[in-house]
């Protein structure tokens, strides 16, 4: 995440800020210019093209600060949400606000990495869309199908998520992590399965995705991960099926790129960043490992759990490099400030 400052008073800003806490200026996120822009008293920002922009209509509903052209419009991130809790579901709507915050963070990072998204208007069959569903009254299963991602909003509740994390014996479980994992399935569809040659290479690294998914789920929940899984997989869940291995790897690729980018921006790390055209092994070895070890130590100093409770064996680093090369191939070179 880039380092944002207030254009009026130069105070530090977080990506989510709708107002500068130091000087009171109203703020909005400009997706094209990738800045947090100051608004005038009428709530308007005039951009580099002279266009008048105002905040997304969902500011009160979901805390969205993204800028739009017309009063009452939804921004790009908000339009990707196909289903949200009903107006009377106050519990679901409070959870929806948290989930949308994570989703905007995801979309921001995909933009920075130059990973192209098609919505359901551009591609009605396979475009990206989200059903953010309240499980207050019905059971919701998190998952992805042909670009449509379903998220259980109860996962925004710390006690529920922690219970699930412990039950599934996972070292890490967050809402942003769910979004990253599920979009991994979407990008495997658009970047891997769209090209037979890339598909073959993916199969040689992650295994044959034509294996029965139904059998894989049954085996995973009956028997758990195979002995010695740590040598080839980032998580136990990744061992279930090649689809899940790719999605887990993709999520870790986004975790690492975003955290490295943030650390470089704040002067907490040195070495090659996400835009490096080197093998991702170099980014991992020179930037990520020293940084994540230091951050784990920092967390331990605060009595908290490790920030990155994972080990990256060579086979997993090779999988991360596969994702990196896919992305560098399609991605527009993003703003080069963090490239070493
Ligand atoms: Zn300010
Ligand atoms: Zn919005
Ligand atoms: Zn999955």
């Amino acid at each position: 995440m880039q380092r944002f400052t207030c254009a009026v008073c130069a105070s530090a800003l977080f990506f989510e800020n709708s107002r500068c806490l130091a000087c009171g200026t109203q703020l909005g996120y400009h997706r094209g210019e990738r800045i947090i822009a100051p608004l005038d008293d009428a709530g308007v920002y005039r951009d580099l093209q002279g266009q008048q922009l105002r905040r997304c209509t969902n500011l009160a509903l979901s805390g969205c600060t993204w800028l739009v052209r017309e009063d009452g419009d939804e921004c790009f991130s908000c339009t990707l949400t196909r289903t949200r809790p009903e107006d009377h579901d106050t519990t679901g709507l409070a959870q929806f606000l948290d989930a949308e915050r994570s989703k905007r963070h995801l979309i921001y990072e995909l933009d920075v990495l130059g990973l192209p998204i098609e919505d359901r208007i551009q591609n009605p069959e396979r475009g990206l869309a989200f059903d953010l569903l309240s499980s207050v009254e019905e059971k919701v299963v998190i998952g992805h199908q042909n670009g449509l991602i379903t998220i259980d909003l109860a996962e925004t509740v710390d006690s529920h998520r922690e219970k699930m994390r412990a039950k599934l014996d996972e070292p890490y479980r967050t809402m942003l992590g769910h979004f990253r994992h599920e979009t991994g399935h979407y990008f495997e569809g658009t970047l891997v399965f769209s090209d037979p040659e890339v598909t073959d290479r993916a199969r040689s690294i992650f295994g044959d995705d034509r294996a029965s998914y139904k059998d894989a789920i049954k085996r995973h929940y009956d028997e758990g991960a195979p002995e010695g899984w740590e040598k080839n997989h980032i998580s136990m869940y990744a061992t279930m099926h090649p689809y899940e291995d790719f999605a887990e790897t993709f999520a870790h690729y986004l975790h690492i790129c975003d955290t490295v980018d943030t650390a470089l921006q704040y002067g907490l790390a040195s070495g090659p960043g996400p835009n490096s055209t080197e093998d991702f092994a170099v980014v991992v070895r020179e930037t990520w490992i020293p940084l994540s070890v230091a951050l784990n130590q920092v967390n331990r100093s605060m009595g908290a759990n490790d920030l990155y409770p994972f080990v990256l064996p060579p086979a997993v680093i090779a999988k991360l490099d596969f994702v990196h090369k896919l992305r560098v191939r399609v991605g527009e070179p993003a703003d080069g400030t963090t490239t070493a």
Side-chain angles (χ1 to χ4, degrees), residues 230-243:
E230 301 92 337
K231 277 202 225 74
N232 292 303
H233 295 87
I234 187 65
S235 66
M236 288 194 276
Y237 193 66
T239 67
M240 187 167 104
H241 188 276
Y243 286 154

Side-chain angles (χ1 to χ4, degrees), residues 56-335:
C56 174
T57 191
N58 292 328
L59 176 64
L61 184 71
S62 69
C64 181
T65 63
W66 290 26
L67 295 173
V68 295
R69 287 188 191 177
E70 302 288 334
D71 214 5
D73 276 359
E74 279 193 334
C75 72
F76 177 73
S77 175
C78 286
T79 56
L80 294 174
T81 298
R82 195 180 74 157
T83 317
R84 66 156 172 93
E86 307 269 353
D87 287 337
H88 69 262
D89 180 359
T90 48
T91 306
L93 283 178
Q95 297 167 354
F96 168 73
L97 192 143
D98 284 342
E100 284 284 328
R101 186 189 304 127
S102 297
K103 181 168 136 261
R104 287 191 297 273
H105 191 125
L106 168 81
I107 304 299
Y108 165 86
E109 187 186 10
L110 298 177
D111 283 349
V112 167
L113 293 175
L115 283 163
I117 307 164
E118 273 188 326
D119 61 20
R120 278 318 237 209
I121 298 164
Q122 292 160 295
N123 187 339
E125 257 102 66
R126 292 184 173 270
L128 187 65
F130 295 87
D131 284 348
L132 305 182
L133 305 182
S134 168
S135 54
V136 171
E137 279 163 21
E138 54 175 345
K139 188 171 155 49
V140 175
V141 178
I142 299 174
H144 165 269
Q145 193 165 34
N146 297 329
L148 179 62
I149 288 169
T150 304
I151 295 284
D152 177 4
L153 291 174
E155 290 277 334
T156 61
V157 179
D158 293 345
S159 56
H160 172 82
R161 195 181 57 255
E162 177 59 19
K163 198 174 86 191
M164 294 302 292
R165 189 194 68 73
K167 189 174 147 195
L168 297 169
D169 196 17
E170 295 174 344
Y172 168 97
R173 191 175 179 93
T174 65
M175 187 44 97
L176 184 56
H178 286 311
F179 277 110
R180 285 174 170 163
H181 172 103
E182 298 306 331
T183 46
H185 291 303
Y186 168 77
F187 282 107
E188 189 173 27
T190 61
L191 303 181
V192 177
F193 297 140
S194 57
D195 182 331
E197 192 267 322
V198 180
T199 304
D200 281 346
R201 264 193 298 131
R203 284 177 181 154
S204 71
I205 297 171
F206 296 92
D208 194 339
D209 55 88
R210 290 164 295 192
S212 162
Y213 190 80
K214 222 174 107 199
D215 294 350
I217 295 182
K218 185 168 167 9
R219 193 189 58 245
H220 182 73
Y221 288 108
D222 286 352
E223 300 167 21
E227 188 94 22
W229 64 268
E230 301 92 337
K231 277 202 225 74
N232 292 303
H233 295 87
I234 187 65
S235 66
M236 288 194 276
Y237 193 66
T239 67
M240 187 167 104
H241 188 276
Y243 286 154
E244 299 309 335
D245 196 10
F246 183 90
E248 285 287 88
T249 304
F250 184 87
H252 277 261
Y253 180 72
L254 296 192
H255 293 329
I256 293 170
C257 285
D258 194 13
T259 310
V260 162
D261 190 26
T262 305
L264 290 171
Q265 296 261 345
Y266 282 84
L268 298 170
S270 59
N275 292 332
S276 167
T277 49
E278 303 240 37
D279 280 0
F280 203 62
V282 178
V283 180
V284 169
R285 191 177 62 235
E286 293 185 13
T287 316
W288 177 239
I289 299 218
L291 174 67
S292 58
V293 168
L295 293 174
N296 286 351
Q297 295 286 8
V298 167
N299 273 26
R300 289 178 193 202
S301 294
M302 279 299 293
N305 294 332
D306 283 356
L307 182 94
Y308 189 72
F310 298 94
V311 177
L312 296 172
V316 170
I317 295 172
K319 290 174 187 180
L320 289 166
D321 189 52
F322 176 83
V323 173
H324 181 61
K325 298 237 159 73
L326 273 183
R327 176 232 141 189
V328 168
R329 205 176 56 144
V330 297
E332 309 246 314
D335 178 13

Side-chain angles (χ1 to χ4, degrees), residues 31-52:
R31 184 175 175 231
E33 294 178 11
R34 228 172 272 152
I35 56 160
I36 297 182
L39 310 181
D40 64 18
D41 292 341
V44 170
Y45 170 65
R46 199 178 290 270
D47 73 5
L48 296 174
Q49 272 85 45
Q51 268 196 99
Q52 294 201 17

